[in-house]
Amino acid sequence: MSIHPATCKSPLAIAIATLLVPSLTHAAAEPALGEVVVTAARMQRPLEVVTDPKAPRQPLPAHDGADYLKTIPGFAVIRKGGTDGDPVFRGMAASRVNISVDGEQALGGCGMRMDPPTAYIYPETFDRVVVVKGPQTVLHGPGNSAATVIFERDRVRLATPGVDGEGSLLGGSFGRNDVVARLRLGNEQFQGELQGTRAQADDYEDGAGREVHSAYERWSGNGALAWTPDERTVVELTGALSDGEASYADRAMDGVKFARDNVGLKFERRELGEVLRKVEAQAYYNYVDHVMDNYSLRDFVPSAMMPAPAVSNPDRKTTGARAAVELALPRGAVATVGLDSQRNVHTLRSTMNQLTMPYELRARVEDARFEQLGAFGEFVVPAGGGRVVAGLRGDQWQARDQRETLRIGMSNVPNPTAKAQRDDTLWSGFARYERGQEDGPLTWYGGVGHVERFPDYWELVSAGKESLDSLSAFGTRPERTTQLDVGVISAGDTLSFSVSGFYSRVDDFILIQSGVPKGMRSVTVVRNIDAETWGGEADASWWIAPGWKAVGTLAYVQGQNNSDDRPLAQLAPLEARVSLSYEQAAWSAGALFRGVLAQDRYAVNQGNIVGQDLGPTPGFGVLSLNAGWRPRPGMLVSAGIDNLLDRDYAEHLSRSGAMVAGFEQTTRVHEAGRTLWLKLSAEL
Ligand SMILES: [Cu+2]
C-alpha cells in the first residue's frame, strides 16, 4: 500500500501522499528518471515537480533548502553569501512561496532576512521535495500565491525486525565537505530513526579569482520514534536540533548562530470506514535563535553606523497544529477537509557595543506576534473523462505590533502603531480541470486560483519599516493574487515534454522600495501596488539513441508594476538549460549548459523583503560536466566540474556586494568559479 508518488499516477494520490504526513510507505528511492546527477528537474504531473533531495545535483548546491530548488525551472535564488539564499519562484520571493517541512512551518528570526525558512532545512535528510506551482492547493497552509514547496520524509513500517542506514560523503573545491548519515531500526510495532548532517565550506573564489566572503558551517540532528500498532495507524514523535554559522558578502554582519529546536507529534489512521478514509493530526513547536555580529567571522572595522562590535539576537517561537480527514464521496469524489493553525512570537535584543554592554545581559523584547487559524477543503471529482480539482480555505489572521518605539536615524520615537492589533479574514480558492488522453501520452490542465496573503513579519515590521504616510508599515494591506494556470504534459517512450504557463494579477502587491525621500531623510518603505506577471516553464527530454539522452528546460517570467508604470522588480531573466548525457547500466557521463539572457527590464530600488533591483545585467553561459558510477546496487559515486570554463558572472537576482575588509567589493555577489566535487552515497 505504497502511496509513494513514483507508484501512483493520479494527482489526487499525489495530493494525498503529500498531504498525509507521516505516511506508512515504503521508502523507495525516486526512480532514477534516467538522470544520475540531477541537472534539471521536470514537471511530470499537472503543476507538480517532484525531486529527490538525496540525489547528487549540478551545480553543487549549498546544503540548505534554497539551493536545492535551483534545478527546478522557474526557481532562482537571491545570493547573499555561500548559503542561506532566498528562493524566488516566477519572480515571487519570500512568503509568496509557502515552505512546508513535514507539514510544519519554521519561520526565521532575522529581521535582515539572513534566515529564510530554507536556512533551517537540511535537504538530504528528506525523502522528497514536492513543488506545487501556483495557488492550486489549499492543503498546506495559507499564502501560497506563487508556489508550495513541501520537504517530506517517509515513515516506514518494517516487516521484520532490522536495522538499515544510509549516508553520503561529499568533498569539493573551496574546502567543501559534507557528511550525512541516517540510521533506522525497529520492528513491526516500533521504529526509531536518527539522522545527522554536517556541511562546511570555505570562502569560494569567483571566476575572476576574487574571494567571496561566503564560508559557512552547518550541522543538524533529528530523530523520530514511531509506533505502528497496525498497518493502518501511526503515531510519531519527532525532534530536531540544528545550528550553523555563515559569512555574508552582502552586508555588514555575519550569522554566527542559527539554532533551531523542534518537536513534533503526528497521528494518522487510515481506512476507518467506507466514507471516512483517513484521519490525521499533528502539532509542532519550532524555536529559532539567531545571532549576527560584525566581528566574529570578519575583521572588525569601525564604521559610522557601527563604531563598535555590534550584535543582534532575534528569536522566534512558532507553534502550530493541523487536523484533516479524507472522505470518500459519491461518484468517486474525494474530499479532504481540515483545520490548521499557527502562532508565532518574535523578539529582539541587540547591542551597539558588545564590549561595554553584552547582548546576553539584555532582555529579549517582543516586537510582534502573529496568529492564524484556517479551515480548508479540497475536492477531487471525476468529470467528463478527466477530473475537477477544487479547494477553498478561509483564514482568520491576527497580528500585534508590540514595539513601543521606532528607531529613526539616531533617535527613538514613539511608534504610531504601538500595541495596535489587526484582524483580517482572508480567503483563498482554486479550481482546475485536468484531463489525460485515453491510452494517450498527453495530459492537459487549466485552472484559476486566488490567494489573499497576509503580510509577513518582514513586510509589517522589519524590511520596509515605514509606509509612505506613516513611520510604521504595520498597516500594509494583504496582497491579493488571481492567477490563471494552463499546461500540457506528454510522456512518451523516446520524447517527453511539459509546458506550463501562467498569467497572474496581483492587487496590492507588497513592494519594498528603498531610497524614497521623506523630508530630509531617505527611507525604505513598504507600498501596496498593482502588478501583473506572466510567463512559464517548459521542459523536454529526448532519448536520441540508445544510451544518449538530451534534456532541455526553459523558464521565463515578465512583470509590470502598473501603479508606477515600470517593470516589476526582482524578476530573473530568461533561462535555458541543455544537458546531454550518455548512460550505461553502471555509469553515466553528462554535460550541462546553462544559459541566461541579459535582463534589461528592471526597477532600481524596488523589490521584496530580501533585495531590490540594482540595474541591468548581461547574459551569461555556464558549462558543467558530471559523471556517475554505481559499483553495486545501493552505492553511487558521482563527480562534477561546475563552471568548467571558470566564467565570472553574477545572477540578476543577487544582493549587492558589501564592503568587507580583505575582500574586493562587487556590485552583485558573484557566483563560484570552477568547482570540482566528488560524492559517495551508500545504503547499508
Ligand atoms: Cu541575521
Side-chain angles (χ1 to χ4, degrees):
M1 51 148 217
S2 170
I3 53 169
H4 190 279
T7 59
C8 45
K9 289 273 183 248
S10 86
L12 160 65
I14 280 300
I16 293 166
T18 56
L19 151 69
L20 297 168
V21 179
S23 304
L24 283 168
T25 72
H26 301 285
E30 276 300 308
L33 308 175
E35 217 176 357
V36 180
V37 176
V38 179
T39 55
R42 299 185 302 113
M43 184 170 84
Q44 290 177 315
R45 278 173 289 271
L47 297 162
E48 223 170 59
V49 181
V50 181
T51 180
D52 174 9
K54 295 184 195 297
R57 49 194 58 217
Q58 184 165 50
L60 177 64
H63 199 90
D64 76 57
D67 261 19
Y68 271 69
L69 298 172
K70 227 179 156 178
T71 48
I72 299 172
F75 271 98
V77 173
I78 302 176
R79 184 171 286 283
K80 308 161 188 174
T83 185
D84 301 336
D86 240 279
V88 179
F89 185 64
R90 294 171 167 172
M92 296 292 151
S95 304
R96 295 166 183 129
V97 180
N98 194 349
I99 310 275
S100 161
V101 185
D102 257 346
E104 302 180 359
Q105 290 232 300
L107 296 170
C110 184
M112 309 303 292
R113 196 70 181 180
M114 277 179 174
D115 61 347
T118 43
Y120 298 97
I121 290 173
Y122 297 77
E124 259 190 271
T125 65
F126 293 87
D127 293 302
R128 198 174 308 107
V129 184
V130 183
V131 175
V132 183
K133 300 178 180 186
Q136 288 285 323
T137 177
V138 294
L139 296 177
H140 306 280
N144 55 311
S145 57
T148 305
V149 180
I150 304 145
F151 289 83
E152 64 177 5
R153 296 190 177 102
D154 289 326
R155 200 46 57 209
V156 181
R157 185 166 189 245
L158 301 169
T160 53
V163 181
D164 67 20
E166 61 187 358
S168 72
L169 292 170
L170 171 92
S173 302
F174 314 120
R176 177 72 186 271
N177 65 90
D178 290 17
V179 186
V180 178
R182 165 152 93 170
L183 186 72
R184 183 162 53 198
L185 75 169
N187 55 24
E188 270 197 315
Q189 295 271 307
F190 298 97
Q191 295 88 44
E193 182 175 289
L194 279 176
Q195 292 198 88
T197 71
R198 184 180 177 280
Q200 189 182 12
D202 298 336
D203 294 331
Y204 65 75
E205 280 177 23
D206 68 13
R210 279 179 294 246
E211 285 224 318
V212 177
H213 190 54
S214 59
Y216 63 86
E217 189 181 334
R218 296 159 55 75
W219 66 264
S220 74
N222 64 276
L225 278 174
W227 176 43
T228 49
D230 58 54
E231 62 183 18
R232 299 177 296 129
T233 310
V234 58
V235 181
E236 186 186 45
L237 179 67
T238 55
L241 285 175
S242 62
D243 201 355
E245 57 178 39
S247 303
Y248 286 75
D250 65 326
R251 59 192 76 193
M253 281 187 164
D254 302 306
V256 295
K257 184 178 183 183
F258 294 86
R260 173 183 173 226
D261 306 339
N262 160 251
V263 182
L265 185 65
K266 293 166 185 157
F267 166 77
E268 178 189 317
R269 190 158 164 82
R270 299 145 63 92
E271 297 160 37
L272 286 103
E274 289 285 295
V275 174
L276 188 56
R277 300 217 314 210
K278 191 176 300 199
V279 175
E280 52 166 346
Q282 74 179 104
Y284 62 90
Y285 163 90
N286 263 310
Y287 177 66
V288 161
D289 190 14
H290 166 59
V291 177
M292 53 185 160
D293 71 33
N294 61 354
Y295 58 88
S296 295
L297 301 180
R298 66 178 70 196
D299 293 334
F300 170 65
V301 178
S303 66
M305 289 293 288
M306 288 189 287
V311 187
S312 180
N313 175 209
D315 75 353
R316 187 183 320 241
K317 191 190 299 173
T318 307
T319 49
R322 180 180 189 281
V325 294
E326 187 190 311
L327 305 168
L329 302 177
R331 299 183 185 198
V334 175
T336 304
V337 292
L339 297 169
D340 57 25
S341 172
Q342 183 253 106
R343 168 191 163 92
N344 71 83
V345 180
H346 188 273
T347 81
L348 180 64
R349 63 180 174 183
S350 58
T351 178
M352 291 303 286
N353 191 339
Q354 175 69 5
L355 302 175
T356 57
M357 176 46 105
Y359 80 92
E360 296 94 332
L361 299 181
R362 310 195 79 148
R364 295 184 191 266
V365 179
E366 184 179 319
D367 58 357
R369 58 171 58 209
F370 293 77
E371 277 178 52
Q372 166 264 329
L373 173 65
F376 56 86
E378 192 162 311
F379 306 84
V380 183
V381 185
R387 64 175 67 84
V388 174
V389 186
L392 184 69
R393 70 174 291 141
D395 288 282
Q396 182 62 49
W397 279 93
Q398 193 179 85
R400 247 180 104 78
D401 187 353
Q402 304 287 65
R403 299 165 301 170
E404 300 280 2
T405 59
L406 301 174
R407 190 153 184 90
I408 303 296
M410 283 295 165
S411 53
N412 285 322
V413 301
N415 176 8
T417 56
K419 300 297 173 192
Q421 178 171 311
R422 49 183 291 171
D423 292 274
D424 292 85
T425 303
L426 304 182
W427 295 94
S428 304
F430 73 93
R432 71 174 179 273
Y433 186 63
E434 300 176 358
R435 182 159 188 171
Q437 264 181 347
E438 291 284 328
D439 300 322
L442 213 63
T443 302
W444 61 266
Y445 66 88
V448 63
H450 179 77
V451 166
E452 295 181 340
R453 186 179 68 83
F454 194 74
D456 62 27
Y457 169 79
W458 294 268
E459 289 160 337
L460 291 182
V461 172
S462 82
K465 288 192 165 56
E466 304 188 22
S467 66
L468 284 175
D469 52 14
S470 169
L471 289 176
S472 166
F474 197 71
T476 302
R477 290 190 296 277
E479 187 174 278
R480 292 171 287 131
T481 300
T482 307
Q483 183 166 312
L484 206 61
D485 277 288
V486 292
V488 59
I489 301 166
S490 172
D493 290 335
T494 54
L495 178 70
S496 301
F497 67 88
S498 84
V499 180
S500 54
F502 75 97
Y503 166 79
S504 189
R505 202 183 100 173
V506 192
D507 296 314
D508 284 334
F509 179 93
I510 300 174
L511 183 83
I512 310 292
Q513 184 167 350
S514 59
V516 177
K518 219 180 189 186
M520 299 292 285
R521 301 181 301 131
S522 170
V523 299
T524 300
V525 300
V526 184
R527 295 173 56 209
N528 286 110
I529 60 148
D530 292 330
E532 276 176 296
T533 58
W534 59 270
E537 301 83 37
D539 63 65
S541 95
W542 179 29
W543 288 98
I544 304 166
W548 287 92
K549 185 184 178 188
V551 174
T553 70
L554 205 60
Y556 182 66
V557 57
Q558 196 184 110
Q560 186 72 13
N561 170 345
N562 290 329
S563 299
D564 299 340
D565 201 17
R566 289 172 80 174
L568 190 65
Q570 293 285 287
L571 300 187
L574 184 132
E575 168 172 340
R577 285 172 194 241
V578 181
S579 77
L580 182 67
S581 58
Y582 183 72
E583 292 167 20
Q584 288 286 353
W587 63 274
S588 74
L592 166 70
F593 178 79
R594 175 170 174 257
V596 175
L597 285 189
Q599 180 59 290
D600 54 12
R601 288 179 56 82
Y602 58 90
V604 170
N605 287 345
Q606 294 193 337
N608 48 53
I609 61 167
V610 188
Q612 286 80 46
D613 274 8
L614 305 169
T617 44
F620 58 84
V622 179
L623 181 66
S624 301
L625 302 178
N626 64 71
W629 175 47
R630 290 186 194 279
R632 62 171 176 81
M635 183 179 264
L636 173 65
V637 181
S638 54
I641 307 174
D642 301 345
N643 194 359
L644 177 73
L645 303 175
D646 214 8
R647 172 87 204 223
D648 180 32
Y649 70 104
E651 302 280 356
H652 180 72
L653 293 191
S654 168
R655 296 267 306 169
S656 57
M659 183 108 74
V660 181
F663 294 82
E664 191 179 326
Q665 187 173 10
T666 51
T667 306
R668 290 179 174 75
V669 181
H670 284 217
E671 301 291 313
R674 187 184 300 121
T675 305
L676 281 65
W677 55 267
L678 177 69
K679 183 174 180 179
L680 169 70
S681 321
E683 291 167 17
L684 302 171

